[in-house]
Amino acid sequence: MCGIIGYIGSREAVPILLNGLKKLEYRGYDSAGIAILKDNRIQIKKCKGKIVELENLLERGLPKGNAGLGHTRWATHGKPNNLNAHPHNGCNSEIVVVHNGIIENYMPLKEKLILEGHNFTSETDTEVLPHLIESNYQNDLTLAVKESIKEIEGSYAIGVISSLGPEKLVVSRCGSPLIIGVGEGEMFLASDIPALLGYTNRVIFLGEKEIATITKDGVEIIDSEGNILQKDIIKIEWDEEMTEKSGYKHFMLKEIFQETMVIRNNLEGRINLSTKTPELNDLSLPLDKIKEMERIFILACGSSYYTALAGKYILEELIGVPVEVDYSSEFRYRKLLLGKKDLTILISQSGETADTIAALKACREAGSHILGLTNVRGSTISREADSVMYIKAGPEIGVATTKAFIGQLMCLYILSLYFAQVRKTLNSSEIEKIVSELMKIPQMVEIILLEDPKIVKLSEEFYKYHNFLYLGRGINYPIALEGALKLKEISYIHAEGYTAGEMKHGPIALLDKTFPVVVIVPQDRIYAKVINNIKEVKARDTLVLAIATEGDKEIANIVDRAFFIPRTLDILYPILSVIPLQLFAYHIADKLGCDVDKPRNLAKSVTVE
Ligand code: F6R
């Protein structure tokens, strides 16, 4: 939800800001802008559209200067247009702000500022910030920001520059991410790590309501009371190559092809290869907590919610503890029935999803131990959860998640096996059997990826349909939901996910030969039931594509098309069945000419409610 970039040093700022904005474009891409500070003068260039539009604009006049801010927008207040694009300035163009988040009390603030004589030109909530800082300014930008954030409610990550004092960037955050990059004689600012990787891998994570004053030589950070804070510089292990397309047409395709690596990363160091047992030495979750757990709540949004649903099946099967799964956005407003003996697991690739962070705060108040599953070190969830398990997917740039979904599933398998070992709900040979099979999954995924040309062919046949129904049962039901979400979000084709057994209670009314059905039908313990469901579908003249198990001879006589995945244990099928569905969605969207990595109206991390 909007990306912020900042630079101060001795190099020209514009190329660095543009490069950073391209890396952050996945966060929002309906308008973009930069502000450059030089010799006590600020130049703003901004426009509607993607970063390429801003580049075109800059070709007609490139501001020179060694300090500046950039912004790529995902509109919340005010439609995408040149006026609403960031940066925004106060009345005298002396104070300029970029912002990610929502200022919830912007209306009363705006009314107050208008009475004071301020003039507003945009429809955004953000514009109150430069005016507010302007009204609080008394020769010290840091102080003015400190006083202003006391008056604002909502979420924000802000970068501020001013033409009034010495060159510096003043930044602050609350609820939205902001990272300071530490270079040699130069400093950076970004919403997310990938934007910094070409320049530095040494970062400082700014805490809630902290205010940083950044010059080219360093940074001073204070809390909201003005006390000076000493913050650690963290070294990030990701490198810039990880944030490039590396020859793939889209990040999404590269990321799907990285899934074998993600699975291996997750097994490495978490499975004892000689005993074939899970080992989670770095998980700071006390054994007593695991033993006394009475219920588990898993909270997440979007695709992460679907891995959470799969997690319910895995955990209940392996440890026999009841698991409740909820959307973070629903859970946070429900009456919380959490107890001290309940464990809460939050799943979030970005670790910055606003609703999941709000759910975390609600669970903390209820006294539940919180385990965060996230991909991003230093993210809010990684810092605020009691325990953290990293999903080890590396930077995920494609807006539609793929490899992080696989990383989340892997974490849930390993975590459940570990809980089963601690709680003794499985004996050692049962654990060994699942672990041994889990260790074969990377080769199985490689086989699926080699079959990609078959999925390309399928996409050439299916891309012309306007509606799809995805069916699955049991542990593959969440994968049907995920398959449908992947297709709709990147190709804009309507797709619904349903549990196969429920189909006859309503959705079957939709079916005819124009409405294909994709069904996940591995040869597991409910295979025969799903076959019955497929027959019900076929009786309505519907075109059926099955994701089935290699060697399943029966299926070919029942469905129209089939894609085969390797045979594995029932519980492990989701990790294999989701991959062809990701590829299917990708190739259809690509065939339709959609902007796969940046689907319309979406942003990678939803840092607003
Ligand atoms: C779909 C997708 C989203 C995210 C959701 C949660 O492809 O990527 O639905 O899964 O916005 O994001 P995280 O996991 O970062 O909390």
Side-chain angles (χ1 to χ4, degrees):
M1 297 282 110
C2 302
I4 290 179
I5 182 86
Y7 175 77
I8 184 161
S10 337
R11 294 194 251 180
E12 279 302 324
V14 171
I16 295 172
L17 298 180
L18 282 174
N19 191 26
L21 286 179
K22 285 182 196 156
K23 295 275 166 63
L24 292 171
E25 208 175 5
Y26 68 86
R27 300 178 65 88
Y29 32 83
D30 56 42
S31 46
I34 54 160
I36 301 295
L37 173 62
K38 187 176 168 67
D39 300 334
N40 295 91
R41 183 166 165 253
I42 299 174
Q43 278 195 71
I44 296 178
K45 300 274 178 187
K46 57 182 184 176
C47 61
K48 182 181 170 197
K50 295 190 173 150
I51 310 298
V52 60
E53 304 295 336
L54 179 64
E55 279 183 305
N56 293 342
L57 177 72
L58 290 172
E59 270 173 24
R60 284 178 254 141
L62 196 68
K64 298 267 180 212
N66 311 118
L69 297 167
H71 187 271
T72 178
R73 181 168 185 245
W74 186 86
T76 58
H77 292 56
K79 56 179 178 284
N81 61 26
N82 293 355
L83 275 181
N84 291 333
H86 297 216
H88 286 283
N89 52 270
C91 293
N92 303 323
S93 304
E94 292 162 343
I95 289 178
V96 170
V97 174
V98 289
H99 166 227
N100 169 29
I102 293 181
I103 307 301
E104 285 169 2
N105 61 336
Y106 83 101
M107 277 312 287
L109 285 174
K110 189 167 174 175
E111 281 159 19
K112 180 191 102 165
L113 288 159
I114 288 172
L115 283 178
E116 281 178 23
H118 289 261
N119 279 326
F120 284 77
T121 52
S122 80
E123 303 159 305
T124 64
D125 54 331
T126 299
E127 201 188 348
V128 297
L129 293 170
H131 290 281
L132 189 61
I133 296 168
E134 192 174 58
S135 111
N136 283 317
Y137 186 83
Q138 285 172 347
N139 287 326
D140 184 338
L141 185 61
T142 308
L143 213 60
V145 171
K146 175 172 158 282
E147 290 313 303
S148 301
I149 63 173
K150 285 186 186 153
E151 294 183 55
I152 57 183
E153 288 160 21
S155 60
Y156 57 86
I158 53 171
V160 189
I161 50 174
S162 167
S163 57
L164 295 171
E167 268 185 15
K168 59 185 172 184
L169 316 178
V170 178
V171 307
S172 185
R173 65 167 287 273
C174 174
S176 302
L178 205 55
I179 299 155
I180 297 165
V182 181
E184 298 294 331
E186 56 185 0
M187 299 287 287
F188 305 84
L189 172 71
S191 300
D192 204 354
I193 295 165
L196 300 178
L197 289 177
Y199 307 103
T200 182
N201 63 353
R202 299 191 313 136
V203 303
I204 298 171
F205 293 106
L206 201 60
E208 298 276 292
K209 297 197 174 168
E210 291 173 0
I211 302 150
T213 306
I214 307 172
T215 63
K216 72 184 176 54
D217 301 314
V219 56
E220 183 176 273
I221 301 178
I222 55 171
D223 64 15
S224 53
E225 301 305 316
N227 303 307
I228 296 185
L229 304 172
Q230 296 305 325
K231 307 274 292 185
D232 291 336
I233 298 179
I234 314 279
K235 202 160 169 238
I236 299 294
E237 282 151 23
W238 294 354
D239 64 42
E240 201 189 10
E241 195 283 321
M242 290 172 156
T243 67
E244 305 289 343
K245 282 190 204 151
S246 316
Y248 287 91
K249 186 170 179 191
H250 293 102
F251 280 110
M252 182 175 174
L253 191 61
K254 173 185 173 186
E255 287 160 5
I256 297 172
F257 275 82
Q258 285 181 321
E259 288 174 345
T260 323
M261 180 189 78
V262 174
I263 296 168
R264 291 204 170 101
N265 287 349
N266 272 281
L267 291 169
E268 201 182 290
R270 290 175 173 167
I271 295 290
N272 183 320
L273 297 180
S274 48
T275 57
K276 303 242 171 59
T277 51
E279 275 182 352
L280 287 178
N281 300 332
D282 54 351
L283 186 74
S284 57
L285 182 57
L287 288 182
D288 286 351
K289 200 93 228 165
I290 301 173
K291 286 181 190 153
E292 70 179 20
M293 253 167 9
E294 287 176 353
R295 283 178 314 169
I296 298 174
F297 287 80
I298 318 183
L299 310 173
C301 300
S303 291
S304 298
Y305 171 80
Y306 299 147
T307 49
L309 272 185
K312 173 181 168 71
Y313 287 89
I314 302 166
L315 282 158
E316 288 185 345
E317 178 85 18
L318 300 188
I319 67 168
V321 167
V323 178
E324 271 199 44
V325 178
D326 208 344
Y327 287 111
S328 311
S329 52
E330 287 297 315
F331 180 85
R332 59 183 291 196
Y333 293 115
R334 280 206 285 132
K335 184 172 167 62
L336 296 195
L337 300 172
L338 270 175
K340 296 216 179 327
K341 293 195 171 170
D342 298 330
L343 172 72
T344 307
I345 303 178
L346 299 175
I347 308 183
S348 174
Q349 184 284 129
S350 60
E352 297 294 352
T353 298
D355 285 316
T356 306
I357 293 170
L360 182 151
K361 289 179 181 153
C363 296
R364 157 133 328 124
E365 273 165 33
S368 167
H369 187 97
I370 297 156
L371 166 61
L373 259 59
T374 182
N375 195 28
V376 182
R377 257 169 228 278
S379 61
T380 304
I381 288 178
S382 80
R383 285 182 285 126
E384 297 205 359
D386 300 306
S387 320
V388 183
M389 188 170 181
Y390 288 101
I391 61 181
K392 296 190 178 183
E396 192 179 61
I397 313 286
V399 164
T401 186
T402 50
K403 63 174 179 171
F405 188 92
I406 295 290
Q408 291 169 357
L409 279 179
M410 283 304 292
C411 283
L412 288 164
Y413 284 121
I414 298 168
L415 190 70
S416 308
L417 286 164
Y418 176 68
F419 285 174
Q421 181 171 273
V422 174
R423 291 174 70 103
K424 300 193 184 3
T425 51
L426 295 182
N427 63 34
S428 54
S429 66
E430 286 166 326
I431 290 181
E432 193 185 321
K433 183 175 166 205
I434 302 175
V435 168
S436 305
E437 194 66 12
L438 207 49
M439 286 165 62
K440 291 187 207 148
I441 294 288
Q443 292 101 290
M444 297 184 188
V445 170
E446 262 161 25
I447 291 169
I448 294 173
L449 293 174
L450 281 172
E451 303 268 82
D452 183 42
K454 288 191 182 158
I455 299 173
V456 175
K457 277 194 120 174
L458 289 168
S459 70
E460 281 161 1
E461 183 179 353
F462 280 86
Y463 81 98
K464 51 184 187 283
Y465 291 95
H466 300 296
N467 297 288
F468 281 78
L469 184 64
Y470 281 66
L471 299 176
R473 257 184 118 146
I475 197 166
N476 286 294
Y477 161 53
I479 303 306
L481 297 172
E482 173 62 4
L485 177 62
K486 281 286 92 74
L487 185 67
K488 71 183 127 190
E489 68 182 335
I490 60 169
S491 71
Y492 320 134
I493 293 174
H494 167 239
E496 279 190 54
Y498 238 82
T499 162
E502 273 294 300
M503 183 220 18
K504 56 187 171 294
H505 297 285
I508 197 164
L510 293 167
L511 299 182
D512 61 21
K513 59 180 183 318
T514 67
F515 205 127
V517 171
V518 179
V519 55
I520 306 157
V521 54
Q523 281 182 318
D524 59 8
R525 64 176 180 230
I526 41 172
Y527 174 74
K529 302 288 168 205
V530 183
I531 293 289
N532 288 342
N533 301 139
I534 296 175
K535 290 195 169 146
E536 290 154 10
V537 168
K538 278 309 301 169
R540 272 83 197 168
D541 269 349
T542 306
L543 185 64
V544 177
L545 163 63
I547 306 299
T549 315
E550 195 179 51
D552 179 352
K553 300 223 167 54
E554 191 186 351
I555 200 78
N557 303 323
I558 305 172
V559 301
D560 303 279
R561 303 283 177 271
F563 181 86
F564 294 99
I565 54 175
R567 187 172 298 276
T568 186
L569 299 175
D570 287 9
I571 200 169
L572 298 183
Y573 273 117
I575 205 154
L576 299 182
S577 59
V578 74
I579 298 172
L581 299 185
Q582 294 171 340
L583 286 167
F584 185 64
Y586 169 79
H587 290 301
I588 288 184
D590 187 38
K591 184 123 195 63
L592 290 171
C594 300
D595 191 348
V596 174
D597 285 332
K598 299 186 204 97
R600 69 182 179 212
N601 304 336
L602 291 178
K604 181 76 182 157
S605 43
V606 185
T607 56
V608 293
E609 270 183 61

